[in-house]
Amino acid sequence: MPTHRQPTDNATTGPRPGVNDAEAALVEHYPRLVRLAYLTLPPALGRHRRVLTAHATVQHVLPGARKGDPRARVPGQRTPSGSAYAWLRAQVLRAALTHEQPPPWWRVRAARPRAGLPLVVGLRLFPRAGGTDELALDQALSTVTAPARAALALRVLEGLSEQAVLALLEDAGVAEPAAAVRTAERLAAHRDGRAGKLLGTAEFDPCTVQTRPTDLLRRRQRSRIAGAAVAIALAGTVLAVSLPEDGSPGRPVAGGGADDSLYGPAGTAALARALDPALLERASEGAWAGTSRIDFSVWPARGGRTDDTALLKRALRVWGGPGPAVRVSATPGTGTAPPTQPPRLLYAGDLDGAAVVLLHDGQRIVRYAEPVSRRVPLPRRGPLPAPEPLPDPEIRGGPAPGGEAGQAPSLDFARTDQADMTTAAALAVSRTPDGARYLLAPWIARSATRDLLAPDTPARDLDVSADGVTGAVPAPASGGDCVSWPVMVLRSSEKIVERHSFLVTDLGDPSPAHLTYTPPPGGAPARGPREATGGQALRNWARTACSLRTLRGSGVRAVNNWAFAEQSLPESGGPSTWVCTRADTWRGPGRILVQFQRPASAATAPGTVVAEARNTASCGRFGQHILAGTRWKSPSGKWFLLAAGSRDVTRIEATGSVRANATATTLAVRAPREGSVRLSARLTGGGSLRAVG
């Protein structure tokens, strides 16, 4: 744990101001300080707690305001307002960075009286929602450390130099300030400097908030219970006073009658409503064709048992409180709590020997399956049990193995918030040894299958039933030799977009992953990911498809292959390609795999993995610069150090056992087979970059 020192008087933190100067600076710059605290605090707090904690952090940094602080009795010197603000900023930064660390034992008593302020009762606060760019930045920020988030805010919002940020972080006790600054630079260095603009929007402004009530029904019930408890306590007191000393006549009988309602005191009316099959949401058949929101919210209810109230009731009751016989699985980062409002029914029917129900609550897809030959009895009357937390080995991606053919029902959860036309295009409804069957979105006009390892083989049409369920699509091999990789080729209806085709593949989760491709830079402007349906994209995926096996069951939303550089190898070794494969998950964090693809006789020859990173923004919207290197043996037997960077790299430098540089996006130099080498690069805008991995 780093040691947190008292801030020193320097140009970054400023001298310790007097109380009046500090208060004036705090009032003047209050929104800036609260935004800095909000961005630095951990996103795991949730938006409501994060807003309140940000305000509390700023309000509690005035010098001398804490009782028992000996410095409170020493008058501070008069200082300029800018210096006072610098001092306050340093204190806010320190407090936000150490939020999750317990205070020293001698400060606990002093901190308690103010810990609950500001206090909000009966309302939930959260900043105004932004667009997709703000959401993507928020997800990227959630994957980095608090010092990195603070460094980004100090650089792009406060306009501090790199050295000033390093000094502030070091003074705040950050163990590795340079690493935090580098991470912040990667987040801020994408084209047009949009991170600064996005961080200044209402999405990240804790001073401009929206309010919503808390659970009114639960609050009302708690008030009634509290009132009843007070009445019972008073009645008990009266009885105790009025009883005769021997206690025999008039003694109340212990115990009392049991509550015969469906939900006992532990249940709530809101939960009862959410689990009522009569209140399930159902979209109309053509809702998807008349809205700009193309996702699971416009899927109609399909299947042969959408009116089977008993089946729907069992599915909802098991979701509300799965018993020990129910096999529960969840993709990483997906909660298994009961719904808070009636979910949407997407499918109910019999498939491959199982009765399957698909539900959507706006954030998650829930799949319930029970053997057709078995009917699961409803729980007996009484309180609805709260779902117990699952041990780690049982939280996994995809439906429980054998859920259809086994003797126990299964319940599978998958996160699907912010789905779109491609990521809400299909859901796995059944898995058998023959493969997976999918329920297609109503806007899918054509479906086919193809093998990624056979890029020149045409796609084959896929059989689809009248209610939108496909035939079995073979699952990619999870082990052994990788000899094929089946994918689905889906084409949307012309009612929403003209002839838009895209690829999705099964990675073991209820929702298949969307595959895209970003071509090499060439001389054209920067290109975003495009659909992996063209010849060049298919040939590129043929050499990287088998690397998808490492992503199974990890809640992957989309995978993009970015051919970020092309390089001619020394000694007429031929053309090579550098590819960064980025997998984005539904919960936000991404992981990358960098491959060096040398010339090969086989179209499916895999590349050489040269780097891998988890929880990174690299190769994505907020990490558009990358540098990687490897050693390569030429046909003559000589060893070379190869390096390549993305389009904005202007210079590559190697230090260590090899010292060389090149004013280009690639480097190739003779090098020993072994030895430590450090690669770095300069960018068009003047920034620096280190090699991934």
Side-chain angles (χ1 to χ4, degrees):
M1 179 182 296
T3 301
H4 292 273
R5 305 176 302 280
Q6 291 296 326
T8 58
D9 292 351
N10 55 44
T12 305
T13 62
R16 185 176 184 273
V19 176
N20 293 336
D21 291 335
E23 184 176 8
L26 186 146
V27 172
E28 180 182 358
H29 301 289
Y30 187 78
R32 292 172 60 185
L33 294 169
V34 176
R35 191 186 293 259
L36 173 62
Y38 181 80
L39 291 171
T40 306
L41 288 167
L45 289 174
R47 291 189 294 175
H48 174 77
R49 287 185 56 202
R50 199 173 167 197
V51 166
L52 292 180
T53 305
H55 284 272
T57 300
V58 174
Q59 293 175 18
H60 295 173
V61 297
L62 283 179
R66 182 173 294 165
K67 183 178 179 181
D69 187 346
R71 292 175 298 174
R73 297 187 293 272
V74 181
Q77 60 182 343
R78 298 294 296 179
T79 57
S81 61
S83 180
Y85 172 72
W87 188 89
L88 287 171
R89 181 176 58 197
Q91 303 309 303
V92 169
L93 178 66
R94 173 189 295 269
L97 288 172
T98 59
H99 170 75
E100 294 180 319
Q101 298 180 5
W105 63 268
W106 63 85
R107 293 177 56 187
V108 172
R109 180 178 298 275
R112 279 179 182 169
R114 313 186 67 193
L117 297 177
L119 179 65
V120 176
V121 178
L123 289 175
R124 306 291 294 176
L125 308 180
F126 52 92
R128 295 181 180 275
T132 57
D133 290 340
E134 288 85 348
L135 174 64
L137 176 58
D138 189 44
Q139 292 176 338
L141 290 174
S142 68
T143 66
V144 301
T145 62
R149 293 192 299 272
L152 179 64
L154 294 171
R155 287 284 280 153
V156 303
L157 293 180
E158 296 292 306
L160 298 182
S161 66
E162 181 176 337
Q163 293 303 318
V165 174
L166 286 171
L168 262 175
L169 294 178
E170 183 178 1
D171 192 71
V174 174
E176 297 182 358
V181 172
R182 287 196 301 270
T183 303
E185 291 294 337
R186 286 199 298 270
L187 288 173
H190 66 287
R191 195 171 303 279
D192 300 329
R194 299 186 61 192
K197 180 179 179 181
L198 295 175
L199 287 179
T201 62
E203 172 84 13
F204 303 99
D205 183 7
C207 292
T208 305
V209 297
Q210 293 177 313
T211 61
R212 290 291 185 273
T214 54
D215 190 334
L216 298 177
L217 293 175
R218 179 174 297 179
R219 207 164 75 200
R220 185 177 179 185
Q221 183 184 42
R222 286 176 177 173
S223 299
R224 290 178 175 176
I225 293 175
V230 172
I232 292 173
L234 292 174
T237 303
V238 172
L239 286 172
V241 172
S242 62
L243 283 176
E245 293 184 1
D246 61 2
S248 51
R251 181 185 297 273
V253 179
D259 190 346
D260 290 334
S261 63
L262 180 62
Y263 299 100
T268 68
L271 182 58
R273 184 175 183 274
L275 300 180
D276 186 348
L279 299 178
L280 284 171
E281 298 283 345
R282 300 174 188 240
S284 61
E285 289 291 335
W288 61 273
T291 179
S292 61
R293 180 176 179 178
I294 306 298
D295 57 16
F296 293 111
S297 66
V298 293
W299 275 39
R302 289 172 287 176
R305 301 182 66 176
T306 55
D307 295 326
D308 189 337
T309 303
L311 172 63
L312 300 179
K313 190 172 185 179
R314 287 195 297 274
L316 290 167
R317 289 302 304 268
V318 170
W319 183 1
V326 179
R327 290 177 294 194
V328 182
S329 71
T331 56
T334 305
T336 59
T340 58
Q341 58 186 2
R344 185 175 302 277
L345 177 63
L346 305 183
Y347 181 86
D350 294 339
L351 283 174
D352 302 321
V356 179
V357 178
L358 288 179
L359 300 165
H360 179 241
D361 70 348
Q363 301 290 324
R364 301 168 294 174
I365 289 293
V366 179
R367 176 184 178 275
Y368 170 80
E370 66 179 36
V372 173
S373 59
R374 175 179 176 176
R375 291 293 178 261
V376 181
L378 288 175
R380 297 180 63 87
R381 294 180 303 177
L384 185 70
E388 298 179 357
L390 297 173
D392 289 342
E394 293 191 18
I395 300 183
R396 57 189 181 276
E404 284 80 359
Q407 294 301 311
S410 62
L411 193 65
D412 309 308
F413 295 84
R415 186 170 171 176
T416 56
D417 48 315
Q418 301 297 324
D420 56 24
M421 183 188 68
T422 57
T423 52
L427 286 174
V429 288
S430 173
R431 294 183 187 275
T432 67
D434 294 330
R437 300 177 67 183
Y438 293 89
L439 178 65
L440 299 180
W443 57 82
I444 298 301
R446 181 179 179 271
S447 60
T449 61
R450 70 176 310 136
D451 185 358
L452 278 186
L453 298 187
D456 298 326
T457 302
R460 295 177 290 106
D461 286 341
L462 185 62
D463 293 333
V464 181
S465 67
D467 55 5
V469 177
T470 70
V473 178
S478 58
D481 295 334
C482 182
V483 295
S484 69
W485 196 277
V487 296
M488 283 196 297
V489 186
L490 305 179
R491 191 182 74 194
S492 63
S493 168
E494 294 183 1
K495 292 183 180 180
I496 56 174
V497 62
E498 185 176 356
R499 299 181 63 84
H500 182 84
S501 297
F502 53 95
L503 300 186
V504 295
T505 189
D506 181 14
L507 293 181
D509 298 322
S511 176
H514 179 207
L515 303 183
T516 56
Y517 170 69
T518 303
R527 308 175 185 181
R530 57 187 61 184
E531 300 304 344
T533 53
Q536 184 183 25
L538 292 172
R539 287 189 293 272
N540 184 274
W541 267 109
R543 301 192 63 176
T544 56
C546 292
S547 65
L548 293 172
R549 291 195 291 186
T550 61
L551 302 175
R552 290 186 62 85
S554 56
V556 172
R557 172 188 182 128
V559 187
N560 181 56
N561 260 6
W562 176 26
F564 65 88
E566 293 179 311
Q567 183 176 23
S568 296
L569 297 178
E571 298 184 359
S572 301
S576 62
T577 304
W578 295 78
V579 179
C580 181
T581 302
R582 176 177 177 85
D584 286 311
T585 62
W586 288 98
R587 64 190 186 278
R591 56 184 293 188
I592 64 170
L593 194 71
V594 181
Q595 298 185 37
F596 170 66
Q597 296 179 350
R598 68 190 74 191
S601 56
T604 60
T608 301
V609 176
V610 300
E612 184 176 4
R614 296 173 181 266
N615 298 330
T616 177
S618 296
C619 302
R621 181 183 300 178
F622 297 102
Q624 298 182 5
H625 308 301
I626 189 171
L627 174 68
T630 188
R631 283 182 167 84
W632 172 75
K633 186 177 182 181
S634 70
S636 66
K638 299 176 182 177
W639 285 93
F640 286 81
L641 171 68
L642 305 178
S646 48
R647 67 165 55 240
D648 283 342
V649 168
T650 59
R651 175 184 173 87
I652 299 176
E653 183 174 0
T655 58
S657 62
V658 177
R659 304 189 67 86
N661 62 77
T663 308
T665 57
T666 60
L667 177 145
V669 62
R670 286 286 305 275
R673 181 176 181 179
E674 305 291 341
S676 176
V677 178
R678 293 178 295 278
L679 293 172
S680 61
R682 301 297 296 178
L683 301 173
T684 303
S688 60
L689 186 67
R690 291 192 177 183
V692 65

